Amino acid sequence: MINFKPSWLVLLVGLLLGNLSSKAADIYVSLKGSDRNEGTKIAPVASLLNALRKARELRRLKDPSIKNGINIFIEKGVYYLTESVILRPEDSGTAESPTVITSLDEDQAVLSGGLLVSGWKKVVNNVSGLPNAAKGKIWVSDVSSLGNSVLEFRQLWIDGKKAVRARDWNGEQMGRILSWDFPAKTCKIPFLPGKDAAGLAQIKGIEMVIQQWWAIANLRVKSIQVNGAEAELSFMEPERRVQSEHPWPAPWISTKTGNSPYYLTNAIQFLDEPGEWYEDLKNGKVYYWPRAGENMNTAKVVVPNLETLVRIEGTIDNPVAYVSFKGVSFQHAGWLRPSRFGHVPHQAGMYMLDAYKLKIPGTPDKKGLENQAWVGRPAAAVEVSYAQHTGFEGCRFEHHASTGLDYKRGTHDNKIKGNLFKDIGGSAILVGVFSDEATEVHLPYNPTDQREICTNESITNNLITDATNEDWGCVGIGAGYVRGINIAHNEISDVAYSGISMGWGWTKSSNAMRDNTIHANKIHHYGKYLYDVAGIYTLSAQPGSVITNNYIDSIYKAPYPHDPEHWFYLYTDEGSSYFTVKNNWTPAEKYLQNANGPDNVWLGNGPKVNDSVKVKAGLEFDYRYLLNSRSVNNNNQSLNSIESGNGNEIVIEVVPPSSAELSKPLMVEICREKGISASAIYQWNNRLLVYATTNEAEALMRQFQQRIKGAEVRLYKDVFYKFDRKKHCGQEPVKEWDNIILSTNLVKDEAMQKEYLNYHATQFEKWPEVAKGFCNADFQQLRIFKNGRQLMLVISIPKGASLDELNPKTTLNNPRVDQWNALMKKYQEGISGTRPDEVWVFFAQNK
């Protein structure tokens, strides 16, 4: 196997060899060094903090040695930080004399915010609350003390693999809440069989994790009131108030798709399988049940101590400039806010400080707005504010509880290139202001001093994998109010929610954003847990912005989605305006344009985009060595298969050159050979079609083309609309039904076609009366397939029933259905061969 070296290392070696005659000032850091040393190669200092002080003094004194810059070389090893490393304006370099902090060796130096936990012993005495299944299998260690308190943590890594904080539901399983009492601000849950209900009510420190739409919330449980097989949970403030008063995203209550899933965590009573741990803060102990193959006598066990490892902090008038990190690894940053204040996110991990529903909707910017929210920003392993011409190249961000790297405010012309982000609890990368804590989230941000806006940032060739694994509502790359950002050639996989999210504010109004680019990224295996999701998602007006040549594929089947169909490849959400969305490869045109503003242009997206887009998207050649660290679908989770045709419903239309009656027997024979009944064949005039569930769609098409000479064969596998009786009516379907198949064309106007598709993508939310009409008419399911302009509508009704008798029931006491039907007429016209007044045609079933 060829082992490519990171491009930053090759470049650095070249620069060092090429500049021997004009060498920069070099400062060395080593675990073998001493902070009393001078920082030379033979007498290195022991910490990055002291190396930066030496560099700062060289710049303050204008030492001649810094003419060509300062290199701080960190020897390989793990440097456990006891405080955040802060770079200030005094640490700035210049274009001619930059400061570069780099690993000395190809093996990266690690800056860790963790502490080692050692002295593990097998538990031999009885431990109160420990489940019987765990007895004799648990190991224990003392937790370090910090002053008068015990170190608190929410993560534990064993030999580089994150362990699971003990929880009542194991693996990927979750329970379902029974109800949520908003006035009382309490939640009712069932008890699992075999759980000690009375004992559970006595436990202190339990936390509830609840999934709701596009976010999860962490709620500290104040008390548990047991009543038979139910328990009512009350919560700590401030999350108790915020969780019950904010309208979006709220707990999900649905008889169709199930109530919000949840699990409880942080109790020794839940420590009941290998890989789980529990911290006993009161007694300063940590308990762990080892996985197979783990040896606690030799294992390297790390817990986080710091939330932020490095801060680059300038001011608006005196920013930090020309400082960069190359080849450095940042590891083991924690995040304790959920343990101290709870965590109720609004979106993209921004947590609500206050939120509530307006009694009278409407604000100056949005007349129909009903919710108000003020948000905070999660901590990050590395944070940057008021900085320019800084960068991170060839670095590794691993084992973090919250955000990996965050460019927060007042930054411009910075580069994030060729880095690995793996095992990240929150978002891998955040850039730009989302909302100030004092500003309501829906108010457009456009500061008087434009220097506050994060501008001309470059995020390229980074691998993001296994991110958002704690706060599922975070994203791979999140950009707030940014200007001129370039997000290109990144690969993002294994994220719980969206791959790239750009924009904030939910507004069509003018704001700070413009001229942003999302280009040639590869996004796959996303939506692991949460829907209302997309590979690429946008908000608000962003003039001059483009989304081009991206490759989006393979969205997970989320185990507990609030709406199993509410997932997309591309999603321009509220206020998105002035975008060009062009030439993006996706397996199907499953997109959502929700409450968009003006002047969005969509061109040539979908499965027909040239395959060269797929080949060129993602990491460029010099950065593909990063793929050796990729982590994808280790649990073999199922994927949505709208694009695969593998066991999916399909329609194949055959238009023979001569009479259909001559071709029908041959079509019946071909279907029989593939195990498809003759009753799956339908006919209108000279057109034949087969409607079936099969994994051999392509083979069927080839047989029709080869054996029905001169026939035109068209495949309809893009189902862009689905109605299901069980899901949308809450009723079980009948055992047998007949399928009625109709066809029409969309009008030639592409803008009107997109309007039609958008109406159907949001019909269940904005026109619920239509589904109610289908329920009333006893429709079992509806499917609309699309190929080009032509649509195939499949209506399933109880076997032996008459569509002529059932269809009028859709509009009975339901005028909104009449309005819907009238609205849809302007988007439809008859297919070739129809009469001038004929729009929908019926295909008769073969008997």
Side-chain angles (χ1 to χ4, degrees):
M1 178 183 291
I2 298 174
N3 194 5
F4 293 101
K5 285 186 171 129
S7 57
W8 68 266
L9 185 61
V10 176
L11 177 63
L12 180 61
V13 171
L15 288 173
L16 292 176
L17 292 176
N19 289 323
L20 290 177
S21 60
S22 54
K23 191 176 179 182
D26 294 341
I27 302 171
Y28 291 84
V29 181
S30 172
L31 291 172
K32 301 173 185 176
S34 167
D35 284 336
R36 295 188 296 272
N37 288 343
E38 291 300 314
T40 63
K41 190 170 185 177
I42 60 173
V45 294
S47 66
L48 176 58
L49 180 66
N50 275 278
L52 287 169
R53 285 185 177 179
K54 289 186 179 296
R56 193 178 303 148
E57 284 301 288
L58 290 174
R59 293 201 181 278
R60 182 180 70 86
L61 298 171
K62 297 181 173 58
D63 192 285
S65 67
I66 68 170
K67 178 181 178 182
N68 295 298
I70 299 175
N71 295 316
I72 297 177
F73 294 108
I74 309 177
E75 190 177 273
K76 68 179 180 181
V78 181
Y79 296 77
Y80 291 99
L81 304 177
T82 56
E83 59 181 309
S84 299
V85 175
I86 302 176
L87 287 88
R88 301 179 172 88
E90 291 79 7
D91 297 305
S92 294
T94 65
E96 298 77 21
S97 176
T99 295
V100 180
I101 302 165
T102 183
S103 290
L104 180 62
D105 308 283
E106 189 173 350
D107 293 329
Q108 293 184 324
V110 177
L111 301 180
S112 172
L115 288 177
L116 292 172
V117 180
S118 57
W120 289 89
K121 298 178 181 178
K122 200 162 189 179
V123 174
V124 294
N125 299 323
N126 289 329
V127 178
S128 178
L130 189 67
N132 288 330
K135 291 178 180 178
K137 301 170 183 177
I138 303 300
W139 290 66
V140 64
S141 178
D142 293 326
V143 177
S144 299
S145 295
L146 299 176
N148 295 323
S149 61
V150 173
L151 175 68
E152 184 176 8
F153 50 87
R154 297 174 62 86
Q155 294 77 32
L156 181 84
W157 289 277
I158 313 290
D159 292 330
K161 185 176 181 180
K162 186 187 290 184
V164 178
R165 201 174 185 215
R167 46 186 284 183
D168 60 341
W169 288 85
N170 291 329
E172 299 295 314
Q173 291 186 311
M174 300 174 74
R176 297 271 193 182
I177 68 171
L178 298 174
S179 62
W180 196 280
D181 188 329
F182 290 92
K185 302 179 176 60
T186 60
C187 173
K188 286 185 178 179
I189 63 170
F191 276 114
L192 292 174
K195 295 293 182 183
D196 178 5
L200 192 65
Q202 305 303 316
I203 303 170
K204 303 297 181 183
I206 290 178
E207 186 176 298
M208 180 186 203
V209 178
I210 180 172
Q211 178 179 322
Q212 39 201 24
W213 300 59
W214 57 85
I216 61 170
N218 300 74
L219 310 172
R220 297 169 299 157
V221 176
K222 183 178 181 180
S223 65
I224 301 176
Q225 183 67 43
V226 177
N227 182 16
E230 298 180 356
E232 187 172 40
L233 279 58
S234 63
F235 306 100
M236 305 284 282
E237 298 288 6
E239 66 266 36
R240 171 180 176 269
R241 174 182 55 80
V242 174
Q243 167 69 5
S244 286
E245 292 183 355
H246 80 276
W248 304 102
W252 180 252
I253 305 294
S254 172
T255 57
K256 297 177 182 178
T257 59
N259 296 344
S260 274
Y262 78 94
Y263 64 84
L264 302 179
T265 184
N266 198 37
I268 198 167
Q269 286 79 357
F270 304 149
L271 209 172
D272 59 0
E273 71 168 357
E276 288 191 330
W277 64 273
Y278 168 72
E279 183 186 13
D280 180 354
L281 272 171
K282 181 179 179 181
N283 297 300
K285 303 286 185 183
V286 58
Y287 297 92
Y288 178 64
W289 184 340
R291 302 180 180 99
E294 290 177 336
N295 184 342
M296 298 310 294
N297 290 313
T298 59
K300 180 181 177 182
V301 183
V302 183
V303 297
N305 177 33
L306 299 179
E307 291 190 336
T308 300
L309 313 183
V310 175
R311 287 191 176 93
I312 301 178
E313 295 182 344
T315 68
I316 197 165
D317 294 315
N318 193 11
V320 178
Y322 294 100
V323 177
S324 61
F325 285 82
K326 292 187 177 181
V328 176
S329 181
F330 303 90
Q331 297 186 10
H332 305 126
W335 191 42
L336 288 175
R337 179 181 172 84
S339 294
R340 295 171 179 173
F341 304 99
H343 179 58
V344 186
H346 187 272
Q347 189 167 308
M350 303 298 149
Y351 53 83
M352 286 183 271
L353 301 164
D354 192 11
Y356 57 89
K357 185 174 182 177
L358 295 169
K359 291 183 179 179
I360 302 175
T363 66
D365 189 60
K366 297 184 73 174
K367 293 182 180 180
L369 184 69
E370 64 176 2
N371 61 309
Q372 299 279 277
W374 291 259
V375 300
R377 190 179 189 120
V382 178
E383 297 181 351
V384 186
S385 299
Y386 297 112
Q388 62 191 42
H389 301 287
T390 68
F392 294 82
E393 183 175 355
C395 296
R396 298 174 72 97
F397 294 79
E398 298 178 277
H399 314 312
H400 297 305
S402 186
T403 308
L405 174 60
D406 191 351
Y407 274 77
K408 299 170 67 174
R409 177 192 297 269
T411 65
H412 68 84
D413 294 286
N414 302 285
K415 294 182 178 180
I416 304 168
K417 181 169 67 173
N419 305 288
L420 170 69
F421 294 83
K422 184 176 181 179
D423 184 14
I424 309 293
S427 298
I429 302 171
L430 291 179
V431 183
V433 170
F434 284 76
S435 290
D436 291 314
E437 292 191 0
T439 304
E440 204 279 322
V441 295
H442 299 92
L443 295 176
Y445 170 80
N446 199 4
T448 302
D449 193 331
Q450 300 281 288
R451 293 177 297 172
E452 287 191 9
I453 303 169
C454 291
T455 306
N456 296 336
E457 312 291 24
S458 176
I459 305 173
T460 61
N461 284 294
N462 301 284
L463 175 64
I464 297 169
T465 187
D466 186 22
T468 73
N469 59 31
E470 293 212 16
D471 188 349
W472 297 345
C474 292
V475 296
I477 299 174
Y481 287 98
V482 292
R483 179 176 296 174
I485 198 170
N486 180 41
I487 304 173
H489 286 288
N490 303 283
E491 179 168 331
I492 302 172
S493 66
D494 257 60
V495 290
Y497 184 45
S498 292
I500 297 174
S501 174
M502 186 169 73
W504 197 250
W506 296 264
T507 178
K508 302 173 187 176
S509 299
S510 177
N511 60 75
M513 294 181 286
R514 65 170 183 258
D515 301 324
N516 297 315
T517 297
I518 302 176
H519 175 75
N521 300 280
K522 182 178 181 179
I523 302 166
H524 59 102
H525 293 86
Y526 66 99
K528 191 170 186 177
Y529 298 118
L530 305 179
Y531 280 179
D532 197 28
V533 64
I536 298 175
Y537 171 93
T538 68
L539 280 170
S540 300
Q542 303 186 39
S545 297
V546 297
I547 301 172
T548 58
N549 292 68
N550 298 283
Y551 171 22
I552 305 170
D553 197 359
S554 301
I555 178 170
Y556 283 112
K557 279 189 177 179
Y560 299 97
H562 70 284
D563 181 347
E565 301 301 323
H566 205 66
W567 59 267
F568 308 95
Y569 296 113
L570 297 167
Y571 185 169
T572 50
D573 203 2
E574 291 192 48
S576 293
S577 313
Y578 312 108
F579 276 96
T580 296
V581 185
K582 183 178 178 181
N583 211 37
N584 299 284
W585 194 97
T586 60
E589 294 179 23
K590 196 171 193 306
Y591 311 140
L592 180 59
Q593 301 169 61
N594 179 49
N596 285 183
D599 297 329
N600 289 322
V601 177
W602 291 68
L603 291 171
N605 305 288
K608 294 182 180 179
V609 171
N610 194 291
D611 280 348
S612 64
V613 168
K614 293 199 287 184
V615 173
K616 294 177 182 178
L619 302 177
E620 294 177 291
F621 181 77
D622 286 348
Y623 300 91
R624 289 180 184 168
Y625 69 90
L626 289 169
L627 296 176
N628 293 327
S629 298
R630 184 169 56 187
S631 175
V632 177
N633 201 9
N634 292 328
N635 295 328
N636 295 314
Q637 186 172 336
S638 297
L639 302 175
N640 282 294
S641 55
I642 189 171
E643 71 278 12
S644 68
N646 184 20
N648 285 342
E649 297 170 277
I650 54 96
V651 174
I652 298 177
E653 184 182 26
V654 178
V655 184
S658 56
S659 169
E661 295 303 323
L662 297 177
S663 300
K664 188 186 293 184
L666 190 52
M667 196 165 175
V668 170
E669 182 180 346
I670 295 169
C671 287
R672 188 183 67 247
E673 291 171 359
K674 299 296 182 183
I676 297 173
S677 169
S679 63
I681 297 172
Y682 295 73
Q683 179 181 351
W684 176 77
N685 287 356
N686 197 42
R687 297 171 183 249
L688 296 164
L689 64 81
V690 57
Y691 169 58
T693 299
T694 178
N695 60 2
E696 295 194 81
E698 301 296 334
L700 265 176
M701 289 185 66
R702 285 194 299 271
Q703 288 292 307
F704 293 150
Q705 289 166 337
Q706 292 169 8
R707 295 164 66 176
I708 305 176
K709 300 299 183 182
E712 179 186 353
V713 181
R714 293 160 58 86
L715 173 64
Y716 298 77
K717 65 176 182 178
D718 178 7
V719 183
F720 68 88
Y721 176 84
K722 291 183 179 181
F723 164 86
D724 293 287
R725 188 164 193 83
K726 183 174 182 179
K727 175 182 176 183
H728 297 107
C729 309
Q731 299 173 2
E732 291 294 328
V734 297
K735 291 184 178 180
E736 292 185 280
W737 61 53
D738 292 323
N739 295 312
I740 312 298
I741 301 183
L742 305 90
S743 186
T744 191
N745 272 341
L746 293 177
V747 295
K748 293 182 179 179
D749 187 296
E750 290 187 0
M752 293 184 69
Q753 293 176 28
K754 293 184 183 299
E755 288 178 15
Y756 180 88
L757 296 176
N758 191 44
Y759 270 116
H760 282 78
T762 58
Q763 185 206 79
F764 295 115
E765 299 169 35
K766 297 183 177 180
W767 294 77
E769 298 87 353
V770 177
K772 184 178 179 182
F774 296 157
C775 295
N776 192 47
D778 210 20
F779 289 177
Q780 304 300 301
Q781 68 175 29
L782 281 86
R783 302 286 188 265
I784 306 180
F785 297 78
K786 179 177 177 290
N787 184 324
R789 290 198 298 130
Q790 190 173 349
L791 307 181
M792 291 287 180
L793 168 62
V794 182
I795 305 175
S796 303
I797 61 176
K799 193 170 186 64
S802 166
L803 183 63
D804 289 338
E805 294 176 359
L806 296 180
N807 196 48
K809 296 181 180 180
T810 62
T811 58
L812 185 64
N813 299 320
N814 198 343
R816 282 277 282 177
V817 177
D818 285 321
Q819 295 173 24
W820 171 267
N821 292 335
L823 180 62
M824 292 301 106
K825 282 183 180 179
K826 70 177 184 178
Y827 297 102
Q828 302 160 356
E829 61 185 25
I831 63 176
S832 177
T834 55
R835 300 186 305 271
D837 61 342
E838 194 174 22
V839 178
W840 286 97
V841 296
F842 285 79
F843 280 72
Q845 187 175 20
N846 185 55
K847 299 298 184 181

